[in-house]
Amino acid sequence: MANEPLHPQNLTTSVRALSYFPLMRQLGVMIGLAASVAVGVAAVMWVQTPGFRPIYTNLAERDQARVIEELAKTGIPHKIDSASGAILVPDKQMHEARLKLAAQGLPKAGNNGFESMESGNSFGSSQFLETARYQHALEGELARSIMSISVVQSARVHLAIPKQSAFLRNRQQPSASVVVNLYAGRVLDEGQVAAIVHLVASSVPNLTAETVTIVDQQGRLLASNGKQRHEYAAAATQFEQTRKVEESYVKRIEDILSPIIGTGGVRAQVTLDMDFTVTEQTEESFKPQGGAVRSEQVSEEIAQPVAGAVAGGVGGIPGALSNQPPAAGTVTETAAAKPADKAEPGKDAKDAKGGKEGKGKDKAADEAVAAAPSNTSRRAIRNYELGRTIQHTRAAPGKIKRLSVAVLVDNKQTVNADGEAERKPLAKEEIERLTALIKDAIGFNAERGDSVQVTNIAFSTPPEAEPLPDQAFLDKPWVADLGKQSLAGFLVLSIVFGVLRPMLRSLMSKPLPVETDMAAGGMPALAHTGGARHALPAGHVNYDTQLNTAKSLATQDPKRVAQVVKNWVANDG
């Protein structure tokens, strides 16, 4: 009886036996049975219920309503967390839900664009209200555009647009302020800040980039007035250009030395002194030699004396003085020449000769004076076409003033006699060859003060990276599901074998009351449940007749016969 299996017949018998128990016991059994079944069903449903995760956090109430409405349309299960108010969806449908919401433009982070103007009723609205609504819509559109940048999580834009006046002297320039909320660990570089500034400035009429201010969620000023921004941008550009040139030199050195020393055996650092001064020079030069005569003007005047005039005659420029009569003449007495015969002895030949020579000189002088012109004037003006060169030179910024290079090389790897790899320091000649190679690679110029230093030091061997720790067994995603299902199965089995089976056994151990009437001859009659009573033949009937009658009863109603036999065994035991 204790190990009797549970089958439908036994369950039916247990239910029939339950009807003979007192009412309170029947009620208790039914309550326990219902509770066991409820616990089992709850465990099964708990296993089948998926885990929920928040799809979005910190959503505005308007966005939450739109998200819930869209999830209901798509048929994705969802619920609201009572503690945080976040919208929860099943883990397996998280990405699907986000994609479907993104297709509908959700969430919108509370920034309404020009669609807000369509939702409002413009009938009866004042001009001020329409202007304020348009400005709010423009701010929302700008915020959406800024949020399209990958590092920006949310943004707000405030526009200060003054009312324009009809007088030019009273007009004011609009301004804008932008507050950006960046993702954790992200920053905006100078290029992205400048892009946001010009985006806002280009979207509002008469707004200049100098009047746009950008602040992040930490309160740091990213962009202020235009003068400071221009100075910072120029300094950042110069630094970036210097860094790029230095990286270019470093790459040259490593590329040319790595095949010799080995990969990872070269470390180089380059420091540049660059001149970003902008210089402009204009120069004009002439070539005096080889110039061609462009024009020439020659003027010449020659005045000759009057024919037959003696020296000292009238001449000169006509005028009052030249028209006056000459002065009175004078007579000059000259000593008469002595006769030749009366000359002193010894002096005759000499005097005669000297007199002759004096007369010849006076005659030549008189002829020269008579032949020479009295006045000569000559003027010449020549214009030359000279070669002219005008040169305008603008020196490009970024000139290298000085170059300093420091190179650290590892020991050279060689193979010893035993065939094992070993590292040996470089010889002095090898270092000199490497230095010369580096100088040629970087364009070394000693006149500007360039320096190259090559040092050979054995590199320290980095420790081997430890393998990443394996994920803990309990942290694996399938462990939680398996534990959940195992716990639910244990609860169901505990209910079946710990509650239901003992209950059924206790019910089956209680025999059903059998109505027995002593038939004629003292033979008991079989119990019945509303049908006719079946009794064995009374009187002195032989054994074969009674056996046949019992077989017939067993064939007609085997269940009742079995119950009678059980009752007999119970009464005998």
Side-chain angles (χ1 to χ4, degrees):
M1 295 290 296
N3 297 327
E4 184 179 358
L6 296 175
H7 49 79
Q9 183 177 355
N10 294 337
L11 293 176
T12 304
T13 304
S14 300
V15 173
R16 289 178 57 192
L18 181 62
S19 63
Y20 294 100
F21 290 164
L23 181 60
M24 296 302 297
R25 187 174 180 182
Q26 293 181 11
L27 184 60
V29 172
M30 294 179 64
I31 293 175
L33 183 62
S36 301
V37 173
V39 171
V41 173
V44 174
M45 294 182 62
W46 175 64
V47 172
Q48 295 180 353
T49 302
F52 282 80
R53 293 175 55 189
I55 184 171
Y56 291 112
T57 57
N58 300 327
L59 287 180
E61 295 181 355
R62 181 178 300 177
D63 286 342
Q64 284 186 345
R66 293 177 180 175
V67 168
I68 292 175
E69 182 180 358
E70 188 64 28
L71 291 176
K73 290 181 180 179
T74 55
I76 297 177
H78 61 278
K79 61 181 181 180
I80 300 177
D81 188 5
S82 59
S84 61
I87 302 175
L88 307 179
V89 296
D91 294 340
K92 297 181 179 179
Q93 295 180 323
M94 168 70 71
H95 300 290
E96 179 184 359
R98 287 187 175 181
L99 290 176
K100 290 185 178 181
L101 292 175
Q104 300 298 328
L106 296 174
K108 297 182 179 179
N111 294 325
N112 295 326
F114 288 111
E115 65 272 8
S116 61
M117 301 185 64
E118 301 177 357
S119 60
N121 186 10
S122 60
F123 182 75
S125 298
S126 62
Q127 182 180 2
F128 173 78
L129 184 60
E130 290 293 334
T131 303
R133 185 181 298 174
Y134 171 76
Q135 180 173 338
H136 179 69
L138 183 59
E139 292 174 351
E141 292 292 338
L142 288 174
R144 288 183 183 178
S145 300
I146 296 173
M147 288 171 58
S148 62
I149 301 176
S150 59
V151 299
V152 179
Q153 183 178 8
S154 61
R156 294 193 64 184
V157 180
H158 304 279
L159 299 178
I161 303 178
K163 185 177 180 180
Q164 297 297 335
S165 173
F167 300 96
L168 294 177
R169 67 180 64 180
N170 296 332
R171 288 189 177 182
Q172 299 179 0
Q173 296 294 330
S175 60
S177 301
V178 181
V179 180
V180 293
N181 185 18
L182 307 179
Y183 286 102
R186 304 291 184 88
V187 293
L188 285 172
D189 56 21
E190 294 294 334
Q192 292 174 329
V193 172
I196 295 176
V197 169
H198 288 84
L199 173 65
V200 176
S202 302
S203 303
V204 181
N206 300 325
L207 180 62
T208 59
E210 288 75 13
T211 57
V212 179
T213 304
I214 301 178
V215 182
D216 64 357
Q217 75 272 21
Q218 302 295 336
R220 293 174 297 185
L221 185 63
L222 303 180
S224 57
N225 61 74
K227 183 178 180 180
Q228 294 181 355
R229 187 186 308 118
H230 178 72
E231 294 177 355
Y232 294 154
T237 303
Q238 294 175 5
F239 175 78
E240 186 68 20
Q241 183 177 356
T242 303
R243 187 178 62 85
K244 288 182 178 180
V245 177
E246 290 176 351
E247 291 178 354
S248 175
Y249 279 113
V250 170
K251 188 175 184 302
R252 290 184 188 179
I253 296 172
E254 292 180 351
D255 289 346
I256 199 171
L257 296 184
S258 294
I260 302 174
I261 307 301
T263 304
V266 180
R267 296 291 185 272
Q269 290 294 330
V270 178
T271 302
L272 288 177
D273 185 8
M274 301 186 69
D275 185 11
F276 292 95
T277 304
V278 179
T279 305
E280 294 186 5
Q281 181 181 1
T282 302
E283 181 181 357
E284 184 177 4
S285 60
F286 297 90
K287 296 180 179 180
Q289 298 178 358
V293 178
R294 182 178 182 181
S295 61
E296 183 178 5
Q297 182 179 0
V298 179
S299 175
E300 185 177 359
E301 297 180 1
I302 299 175
Q304 295 291 343
V306 181
V310 298
V314 180
I317 300 174
L321 295 179
S322 61
N323 293 332
Q324 291 179 1
T330 58
V331 178
T332 303
E333 295 181 357
T334 57
K338 291 182 179 183
D341 55 357
K342 294 182 178 181
E344 296 180 359
K347 294 184 179 178
D348 296 342
K350 183 176 180 181
D351 291 342
K353 184 178 181 180
K356 187 177 180 179
E357 293 177 355
K359 291 180 180 179
K361 292 180 178 179
D362 293 341
K363 184 177 181 180
D366 293 342
E367 292 178 356
V369 170
S374 61
N375 189 12
T376 301
S377 175
R378 181 181 178 86
R379 292 180 298 173
I381 299 175
R382 293 184 179 90
N383 295 323
Y384 293 91
E385 190 69 30
L386 301 179
R388 185 180 64 169
T389 302
I390 299 177
Q391 184 178 5
H392 181 78
T393 306
R394 184 178 185 272
K399 181 181 179 181
I400 299 177
K401 299 173 61 177
R402 189 172 183 272
L403 180 64
S404 300
V405 180
V407 182
L408 188 64
V409 294
D410 193 7
N411 291 340
K412 190 174 182 180
Q413 184 175 0
T414 59
V415 180
N416 56 15
D418 298 334
E420 296 179 355
E422 62 179 4
R423 291 186 175 274
K424 292 183 179 181
L426 299 178
K428 184 178 180 180
E429 295 77 9
E430 293 179 336
I431 296 178
E432 292 178 355
R433 287 198 299 268
L434 295 179
T435 303
L437 194 62
I438 293 172
K439 289 182 178 180
D440 293 339
I442 64 175
F444 181 82
N445 188 357
E447 295 180 357
R448 64 185 181 189
D450 295 351
S451 63
V452 176
Q453 182 68 29
V454 180
T455 305
N456 175 219
I457 297 178
F459 288 4
S460 59
T461 304
E464 295 183 359
E466 297 181 358
L468 296 176
D470 295 336
Q471 188 178 11
F473 180 77
L474 297 179
D475 295 338
K476 295 182 178 180
W478 57 270
V479 173
D481 295 337
L482 181 60
K484 191 176 181 180
Q485 296 176 3
S486 301
L487 181 59
F490 176 75
L491 290 176
V492 173
L493 293 178
S494 300
I495 293 172
V496 172
F497 293 99
V499 179
L500 296 180
R501 186 169 182 176
M503 184 184 299
L504 294 178
R505 284 180 179 177
S506 63
L507 293 177
M508 292 174 59
S509 63
K510 302 295 183 180
L512 291 175
V514 181
E515 297 179 2
T516 57
D517 294 334
M518 298 303 293
M523 299 302 295
L526 298 178
H528 65 89
T529 57
R533 293 187 179 185
H534 300 279
L536 294 175
H540 299 283
V541 183
N542 56 10
Y543 175 77
D544 294 334
T545 303
Q546 293 182 357
L547 181 59
N548 293 331
T549 303
K551 290 180 179 181
S552 177
L553 293 174
T555 303
Q556 296 176 2
D557 196 354
K559 295 181 180 180
R560 184 170 298 178
V561 173
Q563 185 63 34
V564 171
V565 174
K566 290 180 181 180
N567 293 339
W568 288 349
V569 174
N571 293 333
D572 293 341

